[in-house]
């Protein structure tokens, strides 16, 4: 099953001629999640051939414009193109009022059902669940209420080892074996030991999105050993005072968190417009955590099963 | 003095990969006016090297997103870049509440004074005046409250004909001659006839912006003989029923209005995404009013004195 992240924007708040504001697309199987939605996201979706009609969940981390000013246009276009599939929108308190105010003055009655889920950005809590994944908030520390998101596949079914399966097993028993159970006979004695006929399931992949925030170690337990961590890295560490003042992070801090959390890969983004060349940010992060990449426009990362 | 219009977007509401939503820049001397502000206007300003810090007035025609969703990002960027010059914002009822709601949740206290001027979109009234120009609303007829804008230079001073000027005139008398007055002696007798020593002033240039609207002849007296008329032309005339239903205009209708108003030049824009090739729209308009151009991204029209 696909588990792929695509970056639509790498810029922090002040725009740059060749960078876009934050937006990411996380595809898990047939489900497309949009994470943040900076201005012009709908055009970036077109550019990278992501069909907005297939998006089922939108997660907004906070109400600074560079993370959600593209939402109005995207929702309007979905409406103009007569979307009918329901859409989940997750965001902090206030987003609902902002949208409702706009729709009222534009006389917009959306063509689809938009379900708004107000987030408590101060806690680590599950906010979404379906057959395949869960999504939890990650409390960030920024100038306004802000949270990240942890996407994690649910535990998967064990693999049946066909050569070792006795022929008498019923379909219902096979289902129980995949779920990890032993098969007992009518008197309760072991008939087939699960370990003898199944092998380990595919692992459950995970992605943690952390933006915008100052360096914050208390989220380490939540992001421990994730496959992929995105962490904002607005500044180089030589500007760590400015990072602290504006409640952002440096590339060094992002990498330090990645190392302490023992994640597999790190992506850094949300770069200040002052950095025309991003190499110093990448090198700074790699000096602490080697498996780091820049989250630049169009970058796509697939996590294999 | 410069009088130049620059087009930043030509698209109607449903976006197109290579067109942008409506926004125009009208430069009159040192004054820069932004007319409508579709999503991504701040990036289009960068692309066409218009410094947003020099914009002094923003005019929003109506609260459909393709005409104002770029406003939030533009104002935020002005703020982030610590603008101090005051800014006038003209728009229909509701825009103030929409902005105030957003600024409240993002904890934004703008670094500059933003003066909001609520427009009555149903009348032709003066809404702005400075030394050089006046701006009047043009009532449009659309699905929600909407107005266009008429920019007109004020009457200019007459030219002094140096060779014919008597040497005894004081600076104050020269000012009165420029203003069209005769110069009288102390007893009230004609000393210098204005017509003998001055020539006609430069003409006052004018630009009328009409978007979005159905065909509407009652604005003819207001736009009579303007130098440049922009009129939306969302559809070809073969879709005039759809134009009427959605309260838009066809290229033929835009050109008909231009001809009846005896304007000097016509620009058409706000094209439906269905028209990949805009030539049929241009040809349709030119069949009625030959001096027509397409208002496409980057198009710049200077009106000479």
């Amino acid at each position: 099953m696909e588990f792929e992240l695509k970056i639509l924007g790498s810029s922090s708040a002040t725009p740059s001629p060749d960078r876009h504001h934050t937006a990411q697309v996380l595809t898990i199987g047939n489900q497309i999640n949009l994470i943040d939605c900076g201005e012009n996201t709908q055009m970036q979706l077109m550019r990278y051939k992501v069909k907005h009609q297939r998006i089922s969940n939108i997660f907004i981390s906070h109400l600074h414009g560079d993370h959600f000013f593209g939402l109005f246009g995207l929702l309007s276009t979905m409406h103009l193109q007569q979307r009918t599939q329901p859409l989940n929108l997750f965001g902090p308190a206030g987003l609902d009022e902002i949208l409702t105010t706009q729709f009222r003055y534009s006389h917009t009655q959306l063509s689809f059902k938009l379900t708004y889920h107000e987030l408590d950005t101060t806690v680590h809590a599950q906010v979404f669940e379906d057959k395949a994944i869960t999504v939890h908030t990650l409390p960030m520390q920024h100038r306004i209420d802000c949270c990240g998101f942890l996407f994690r596949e649910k535990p998967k079914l064990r693999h049946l080892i066909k050569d070792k399966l006795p022929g008498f097993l019923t379909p219902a028993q096979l289902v129980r074996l995949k779920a990890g159970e032993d098969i007992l006979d009518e008197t309760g004695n072991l008939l087939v030991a699960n370990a003898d006929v199944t092998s380990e399931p595919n692992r459950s992949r995970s992605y943690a999105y952390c933006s915008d925030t100052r360096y914050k170690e208390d989220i380490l337990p939540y992001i421990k050993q994730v496959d992929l961590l995105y962490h904002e890295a607005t500044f180089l560490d030589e500007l760590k005072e400015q990072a602290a003042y504006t409640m952002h992070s440096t590339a060094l801090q992002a990498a330090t968190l990645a190392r302490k959390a023992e994640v597999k890969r790190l992506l850094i983004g949300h770069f200040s417009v002052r950095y025309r060349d991003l190499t110093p940010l990448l090198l700074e992060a790699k000096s602490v955590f080697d498996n780091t990449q820049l989250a630049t426009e169009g970058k796509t990362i697939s996590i294999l099963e």
Side-chain angles (χ1 to χ4, degrees), chain A:
Chain A
M1 192 169 86
E2 196 178 8
F3 194 109
E4 184 188 272
L5 182 73
K6 191 183 284 286
I7 305 298
L8 304 184
S10 67
S11 169
S12 63
T14 300
S16 160
D18 53 359
R19 294 183 202 147
H20 291 262
H21 282 154
T22 304
Q24 303 188 357
V25 174
L26 180 65
T27 304
I28 304 176
N30 288 321
Q31 183 200 61
I32 298 187
N33 303 280
L34 180 65
I35 310 169
D36 279 340
C37 187
E39 184 170 356
N40 214 31
T41 292
Q42 61 173 327
M43 299 293 268
Q44 288 293 86
L45 288 168
M46 268 195 273
R47 174 173 301 167
Y48 295 113
K49 305 200 186 311
V50 180
K51 291 186 174 153
H52 62 71
Q53 300 295 23
R54 290 189 52 217
I55 294 171
S56 51
N57 299 317
I58 300 178
F59 297 88
I60 301 295
S61 64
H62 66 300
L63 298 185
H64 279 156
D66 55 319
H67 292 257
F68 85 105
F69 279 169
L71 188 59
F72 320 122
L74 178 59
L75 295 178
S76 296
T77 298
M78 288 174 168
H79 167 70
L80 283 170
Q81 296 189 353
Q82 301 180 324
R83 178 187 177 112
T84 53
Q85 313 95 286
L87 180 71
N88 287 308
L89 174 64
F90 301 81
L95 184 54
D96 195 28
E97 182 183 344
I98 290 170
L99 288 174
T100 305
T101 307
Q102 297 209 6
F103 291 147
R104 185 167 78 247
Y105 285 109
S106 59
H107 298 195
T108 301
Q109 291 274 359
L110 288 179
S111 63
F112 56 97
K113 184 175 181 209
L114 179 69
T115 304
Y116 177 65
H117 307 265
E118 187 173 303
L119 301 174
D120 180 348
T121 61
T122 64
V123 296
H124 177 62
Q126 181 176 305
V127 294
F128 178 77
E129 178 183 25
D130 67 4
K131 274 192 279 188
I133 68 164
T134 58
V135 183
H136 287 73
T137 48
L138 296 168
M140 303 283 102
Q141 193 170 357
H142 196 45
R143 302 193 302 279
I144 59 173
D145 290 348
C146 180
C147 66
F149 301 101
L150 174 65
F151 298 81
R152 193 183 287 281
E153 285 185 307
K154 288 185 170 176
K156 297 180 181 175
L157 297 176
R158 297 181 68 83
H159 296 288
L160 300 174
I161 307 171
K162 285 186 182 167
D163 295 347
K164 298 194 176 175
L165 283 177
F168 57 78
L169 290 169
T170 65
Q173 288 172 322
L174 293 175
V175 168
R176 275 152 52 200
L177 282 169
K178 285 186 183 175
E181 297 176 32
D182 292 325
I183 304 299
L184 309 180
D185 66 15
E186 290 164 2
T187 58
N189 292 320
L190 183 67
L191 195 62
V192 181
N194 193 292
D196 292 344
V197 298
T198 70
S199 61
E200 288 295 312
N202 288 345
R203 64 197 189 79
S204 297
R205 295 163 291 183
S206 51
Y207 171 57
Y209 171 84
C210 296
S211 172
D212 296 4
T213 189
R214 64 187 284 275
Y215 181 73
K216 191 164 182 291
E217 287 197 354
D218 61 357
I219 62 165
L220 279 174
Y222 312 137
I223 64 172
K224 197 84 181 173
Q225 294 180 339
V226 295
D227 291 282
L228 180 62
L229 168 65
Y230 167 87
H231 199 285
E232 72 125 300
T234 308
F235 300 105
L236 283 171
D237 209 59
E238 65 191 15
L239 292 181
K240 64 183 171 194
E241 282 76 21
Q242 183 153 356
Y245 179 71
T246 57
M247 294 208 178
H248 283 296
S249 298
T250 71
L252 193 79
Q253 289 170 336
T256 302
L257 204 75
R259 193 182 59 188
K260 291 192 177 185
E262 300 168 19
V263 308
K264 296 201 180 65
R265 300 163 84 168
L266 171 64
L267 269 175
I268 55 172
H270 200 264
F271 308 117
S272 164
V273 68
R274 79 194 65 213
Y275 303 117
R276 300 308 309 143
D277 175 13
L278 301 175
T279 312
L281 290 146
L282 180 61
L283 293 179
E284 180 173 291
K286 283 173 86 76
S287 73
V288 172
F289 187 85
D290 188 56
N291 200 357
T292 303
Q293 288 179 273
L294 297 170
T296 45
E297 284 74 3
K299 175 76 61 74
T300 302
I301 293 190
S302 285
I303 304 175
L304 301 178
E305 281 193 293

